[in-house]
Amino acid sequence: MAHVDFEQVDKVYPGGTQAIFDFSLAIADGEALALVGPSGCGKSTLLRLLAGLETATQGHLSIGGHRVNDLPPQQRDVAMVFQDYALYPHMTVRRNLEFPLKMRKLSQAEIARQVQWVVELLSLGGLLDRLPRQLSGGQRQRVAMGRALVRKPAVFLMDEPLSNLDARLRVQIRAELGELLDRLGATTLYVTHDQAEAMTLGDRVAVVDQGRLQQVAPPRELYEHPANTFVASFIGNPPMNLLPARISVADHSSQLRLGEQQLPLDWPMALAERWRDQPLTAGIRPEYLRLTNGETGLAATVSDAEYLGHETLLHVRLAGLETENPLLTARLPGLQMIHRGDSVRLIPDAAQWHWFDQNGANLKLKT
Ligand code: ADP
């Protein structure tokens, strides 16, 4: 296993599309790093750069401290698992697993030993004589994983490996894969557009948007301290509510103004004066809003109530807030007897606001 470094990498495709901008990231030896972002943000490009299927226009790429920019893929000691599995259809599972080792001209004894290792690791014992078409999607995925693992690469690259599985199987295989990655302690770069997959599989998660690294942090830090509004709205489902806001000060107390509505804020005066009347974005996660029967809180009209069994997602429209999308989502426990068109009041947990400037950067205010 080995550590991986991207240093100030740019990638411009022939034709002029710049897919990656000044990208720096260090993956520790044995770390599982999940790379997540929306479609087209540059995830596959980053993976392919490391695999040697694309060349960087600028910057350094290294594996185990050795620069690999100019090495062909087969000399980089990486193994890739793709979403379409890419198993050889006419070969049995056993021959699919043996193939990468035969290509490396290992001895029969060594091949048998390494195949046995992955067969046990991934519980493939009963499948060895089957052809890929005789396997379920989940089994095919395990074999593809086995074929990448069997030669014990320095780095394991996975490109949305679960995306062809149905939702239920995906969650099951995700859990198995998480356990496998822990057990292997393999340096892994795992690419996905699914934030839940990234959060469950990554020791750390790197969030990418439009070819730029937005934040890299352990899952909990990413959720609790998003660096900017992009990360705040990308991580978490439903996403963080983001509202245009201003701080006002009257009678030595501070208020949060959301359109025509106000909520008391318990800010230190100096801080409130510092941000007074400036355009800010206030963010709050859906689980930190609760319903109240009182006269305080944010007045809103219910636009939809989604009952999911263990919780109800309440989508509301805030009164007196003129934005394109004055919708707020609250996550409420169990069944709530609330319907479209109802008037409600919501109280945010004042300690749970996030504050962002006009460029979307988290102000990290100590309130
Ligand atoms: P993701 O994996 O996050 O969906 P990609 O890395 O595939 O994103 O693509 C990033 C950007 O680079 C996109 O704008 C895409 O259109 C562009 N791109 C990807 N591959 C090529 C290519 N071979 N030639 C030109 N542009 C490409």
Side-chain angles (χ1 to χ4, degrees):
M1 288 298 144
H3 61 98
V4 168
D5 293 285
F6 290 86
E7 284 172 54
Q8 300 184 309
V9 171
D10 282 349
K11 172 65 184 174
V12 183
Y13 279 108
T17 306
Q18 181 156 0
I20 301 299
F21 298 80
D22 194 25
F23 188 90
S24 297
L25 178 68
I27 309 173
D29 189 3
E31 183 178 29
L33 189 118
L35 194 69
V36 67
S39 179
C41 75
K43 304 180 294 294
S44 302
T45 300
L46 287 163
L47 201 81
R48 292 169 62 81
L49 284 167
L50 197 59
L53 303 172
E54 298 290 349
T55 50
T57 313
Q58 285 284 336
H60 296 277
L61 287 159
S62 64
I63 297 177
H66 302 291
R67 181 181 156 98
V68 296
N69 288 57
D70 309 312
L71 286 186
Q74 58 278 20
Q75 286 176 27
R76 294 193 182 194
D77 202 12
V78 301
M80 210 157 161
V81 181
F82 298 94
Q83 49 184 283
D84 56 6
Y85 316 134
L87 295 175
Y88 299 110
H90 57 285
M91 290 187 192
T92 60
V93 168
R94 183 192 299 279
R95 292 198 49 218
N96 264 286
L97 294 174
E98 288 172 349
F99 189 77
L101 302 176
K102 286 187 175 157
M103 293 294 286
R104 299 190 141 203
K105 307 211 168 25
L106 295 190
S107 70
Q108 276 302 331
E110 184 62 14
I111 291 175
R113 207 175 58 75
Q114 295 203 193
V115 168
Q116 189 54 31
W117 172 69
V118 288
V119 165
E120 281 170 25
L121 191 70
L122 294 166
S123 313
L124 298 173
L127 310 175
L128 288 171
D129 296 322
R130 295 202 202 166
L131 292 170
R133 68 180 146 78
Q134 297 168 319
L135 302 174
S136 70
Q139 290 169 334
R140 237 175 271 164
Q141 185 54 54
R142 289 223 302 282
V143 176
M145 210 70 87
R147 203 183 49 178
L149 277 173
V150 75
R151 52 190 187 82
K152 301 193 174 169
V155 182
F156 207 24
L157 304 179
M158 304 198 197
D159 194 359
E160 309 240 3
L162 308 185
S163 63
N164 283 348
L165 305 176
D166 67 48
R168 202 187 176 93
L169 196 56
R170 202 155 69 207
V171 172
Q172 184 197 328
I173 303 243
R174 184 173 86 193
E176 285 176 19
L177 185 57
E179 199 225 354
L180 177 70
L181 292 179
D182 275 352
R183 230 166 353 127
L184 278 174
T187 309
T188 304
L189 182 59
Y190 187 100
V191 161
T192 177
H193 66 276
D194 179 342
Q195 57 96 23
E197 218 164 282
M199 295 287 273
T200 48
L201 289 176
D203 296 322
R204 286 186 305 155
V205 178
V207 182
V208 178
D209 184 39
Q210 298 182 27
R212 291 185 166 88
L213 181 64
Q214 304 294 312
Q215 187 173 8
V216 54
R220 182 172 170 187
E221 189 180 326
L222 213 59
Y223 191 79
E224 293 180 358
H225 304 289
N228 55 40
T229 47
F230 180 83
V231 176
S233 55
F234 195 79
I235 301 293
N237 182 28
M240 185 185 284
N241 297 296
L242 295 171
L243 302 162
R246 283 177 199 263
I247 307 302
S248 59
V249 178
D251 298 333
H252 302 287
S253 68
S254 52
Q255 262 96 37
L256 164 61
R257 283 202 341 253
L258 298 168
E260 291 163 14
Q261 303 200 49
Q262 289 203 4
L263 288 173
L265 269 188
D266 214 7
W267 279 18
M269 257 316 107
L271 187 69
E273 288 292 355
R274 162 75 182 78
W275 293 103
R276 183 178 188 162
D277 288 329
Q278 305 208 29
L280 300 175
T281 297
I284 192 146
R285 296 220 176 259
E287 57 269 37
Y288 294 119
L289 291 165
R290 63 182 174 83
L291 280 175
T292 173
N293 294 321
E295 291 297 296
T296 55
L298 296 168
T301 310
V302 175
S303 49
D304 196 18
E306 287 181 87
Y307 171 58
L308 301 174
H310 62 297
E311 64 184 9
T312 300
L313 297 180
L314 202 64
H315 304 287
V316 305
R317 205 163 278 281
L318 279 191
L321 187 65
E322 286 183 17
T323 66
E324 285 168 35
N325 189 18
L327 273 181
L328 204 64
T329 300
R331 180 176 228 157
L332 306 171
L335 173 63
Q336 302 284 334
M337 299 308 264
I338 297 175
H339 305 98
R340 188 170 295 134
D342 288 355
S343 293
V344 293
R345 290 237 175 214
L346 290 167
I347 298 203
D349 179 341
Q352 298 296 338
W353 286 108
H354 299 255
W355 305 96
F356 303 93
D357 69 14
Q358 268 190 296
N359 299 320
N362 195 329
L363 292 167
K364 302 200 169 94
L365 300 185
K366 300 264 181 292
T367 59

